[in-house]
């Protein structure tokens, strides 16, 4: 039986969602937060964003998340960036990959946006007790 767009989207959201820490925001928290104000937001997020877009072939979950993080840094949308940094950790991006993705954006989006994004990274890493290997994070000599 073919999955509905909604079920396909929910299945994908589950792959991206940390479930053992209720303090960490998820895509479904956004739906709940705005349900009264915009009841159709849930279908846009679940069916369109995840059921249609995230389900497309050609990119891995890690590649999708790196693209999303890059876009959010460029737009300066820190609340959504926090959610997607969490998503990145949940689907297996390393701290080095997340920081490297953001630092790579300096020539394209500028220092202010990158510095703001790195503040969000520090917050998320602290919430999730992510330890950064000092040697791993050092620039190449």
């Amino acid at each position: 039986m073919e999955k509905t767009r909604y079920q396909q989207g929910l299945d994908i959201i589950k792959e991206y969602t940390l479930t053992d820490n209720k303090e960490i925001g998820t895509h479904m928290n956004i739906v709940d937060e705005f349900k009264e104000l915009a009841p159709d937001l849930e279908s846009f997020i679940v069916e369109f964003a995840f059921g249609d877009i995230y389900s497309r072939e050609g990119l891995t979950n890690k590649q999708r998340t790196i693209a999303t993080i890059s876009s959010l840094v460029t737009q300066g949308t820190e609340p959504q960036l926090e959610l997607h940094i969490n998503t990145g950790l949940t689907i297996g991006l390393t701290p080095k990959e997340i920081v490297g993705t953001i630092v790579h954006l300096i020539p394209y989006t500028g220092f202010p946006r990158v510095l703001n994004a790195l503040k969000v990274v520090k917050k998320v890493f602290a919430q999730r007790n992510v330890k950064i290997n000092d040697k791993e994070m050092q620039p190449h000599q």
Side-chain angles (χ1 to χ4, degrees), residues 22-68:
K22 300 304 178 200
E23 300 299 314
I24 304 296
T26 70
H27 296 88
M28 295 311 288
N29 293 137
I30 294 169
V31 167
D32 292 341
E33 183 178 351
F34 295 107
K35 190 171 225 106
E36 187 176 298
L37 183 61
D40 53 353
L41 183 63
E42 180 174 1
S43 67
F44 295 143
I45 291 172
V46 176
E47 292 177 6
F48 174 66
F50 288 90
D52 291 342
I53 303 302
Y54 274 71
S55 66
R56 294 176 48 131
E57 294 181 7
L59 297 175
T60 66
N61 286 347
K62 288 181 178 184
Q63 291 168 327
R64 283 184 187 93
T65 303
I66 287 171
T68 303

Side-chain angles (χ1 to χ4, degrees), residues 64-133:
R64 283 184 187 93
T65 303
I66 287 171
T68 303
I69 288 171
S70 297
S71 177
L72 294 171
V73 170
T74 302
Q75 294 176 70
T77 53
E78 282 82 9
Q80 293 75 23
L81 178 62
E82 181 177 340
L83 172 67
H84 287 278
I85 290 169
N86 269 300
T87 295
L89 292 169
T90 300
I91 56 103
L93 286 176
T94 66
K96 186 176 182 177
E97 289 171 322
I98 291 169
V99 171
T101 294
I102 293 169
V103 170
H104 180 76
L105 297 173
I106 291 170
Y108 305 100
T109 193
F111 281 99
R113 291 261 165 102
V114 167
L115 294 174
N116 290 344
L118 291 174
K119 284 184 182 181
V120 175
V121 169
K122 285 181 73 170
K123 176 184 176 184
V124 171
F125 285 7
Q127 286 176 329
R128 302 236 348 220
N129 293 319
V130 172
K131 304 296 182 218
I132 300 171
N133 179 336

